[in-house]
Amino acid sequence: MNTHAAARLAALSPQGRQHLQAVLHPPPALLVFDFDGTLAPIVAQPDAARAPLAVARALEALMQHHVVAIVTGRAVDDVAGRLGFVPHHVLGSHGAEDPADVQSAERIAHHRSALDELRAACDGSWAASLGDAGVQVEDKGLSLAFHYRLSRDRQHALSVVRGLLAEHGGGLRTFDGKCVVNAMADEAPDKADAVETLVARTGISRVVFAGDDVNDEPVFERRRPGWFTVKVGGDPRQSAAEFHLGGTAEMALFLAACLRCSR
Ligand SMILES: [Mg+2]
């Protein structure tokens, strides 16, 4: 596919900078970032993940010109203390948790209860198998995450998670991340829905979106003219993003380029 070939363009190439300038100038644009693997390096203990200081300061500077948002797989409360700055918007659980959406209490309760059967199985009949396989279950309310980065045998851990989901994952959307499998209500919003929500809420249609993982691909796939989509790390040929950054180590550099384009 052409879109996949296009992802080989480096975000910081002359072409990338030119496109970035067109999206960011004149401000304001909407800047949306995933957290783990995008702003913060992936670490063995997910609880140790933090945005580097240079990244936090650069995002704070960008907030003077643009609307800055985080759309993360983590719960909103979890990510807030890891950012080192306070963005304009934070959406959690892959876009399903939106604190600004005050109308949605009933819908959220519905999405949360869709996970009840799976939750019960994790605490009950499947608890021992998950524990033995070294799978850590994280309940984010609107999604369940099965982490197996620290398992001795990741292949086995993954097969245990798949078995659990085959038995108790009916009516759920499941998707893989980096050493993690996520499950959430099938009709819950995904990250692409979350970005659309932010576009509608802010009235800003020029968008920069950066992400590193499978669950960021729906955003890349739904990109429109006037968007700058960046896949961070990994194999850019596997992504529908238009542009590519080598990894989180280049993020501060990318944000500095964004800042230059904004003045
Ligand atoms: Mg990520």
Side-chain angles (χ1 to χ4, degrees), residues 24 26-29 31 59-68 88 204 258-259 262-263:
L24 290 175
L31 277 53
L59 286 164
E60 236 166 19
L62 282 164
M63 284 177 67
Q64 308 298 316
H65 307 273
H66 305 287
V67 173
V68 173
H88 295 112
I204 299 173
C258 288
L259 201 54
S262 310
R263 285 171 179 147

Side-chain angles (χ1 to χ4, degrees), residues 47 77 89 93 154-155 198 212 238 259:
D47 201 39
D77 281 348
H89 304 272
S93 269
R154 288 179 179 175
Q155 212 53 34
L198 288 167
D212 71 306
Q238 305 292 318
L259 201 54

Side-chain angles (χ1 to χ4, degrees), residues 56-109:
R57 291 294 88 85
L59 286 164
E60 236 166 19
L62 282 164
M63 284 177 67
Q64 308 298 316
H65 307 273
H66 305 287
V67 173
V68 173
I70 306 296
V71 177
T72 172
R74 291 182 185 259
V76 170
D77 281 348
D78 178 4
V79 81
R82 306 175 183 281
L83 292 169
F85 77 109
V86 182
H88 295 112
H89 304 272
V90 183
L91 277 72
S93 269
H94 312 282
E97 185 189 359
D98 180 0
D101 183 1
V102 290
Q103 307 296 317
S104 68
E106 200 175 313
R107 199 171 59 236
I108 284 173

Side-chain angles (χ1 to χ4, degrees), residues 179-198:
C179 294
V180 62
V181 180
N182 304 284
M184 58 198 300
D186 199 24
E187 67 275 25
D190 64 11
K191 284 195 175 185
D193 299 322
V195 174
E196 301 273 11
T197 296
L198 288 167

Side-chain angles (χ1 to χ4, degrees), residues 183-244:
M184 58 198 300
D186 199 24
E187 67 275 25
D190 64 11
K191 284 195 175 185
D193 299 322
V195 174
E196 301 273 11
T197 296
L198 288 167
V199 167
R201 188 172 295 161
T202 59
I204 299 173
S205 57
R206 282 177 287 127
V207 174
V208 173
F209 178 82
D212 71 306
D213 215 338
V214 182
N215 63 345
D216 299 306
E217 290 297 327
V219 186
F220 298 148
E221 282 159 16
R222 225 190 281 180
R223 73 187 147 82
R224 294 197 288 261
W227 288 28
F228 189 97
T229 49
V230 195
K231 158 88 170 164
V232 180
D235 182 351
R237 289 167 303 182
Q238 305 292 318
S239 176
E242 248 186 310
F243 294 95
H244 177 243

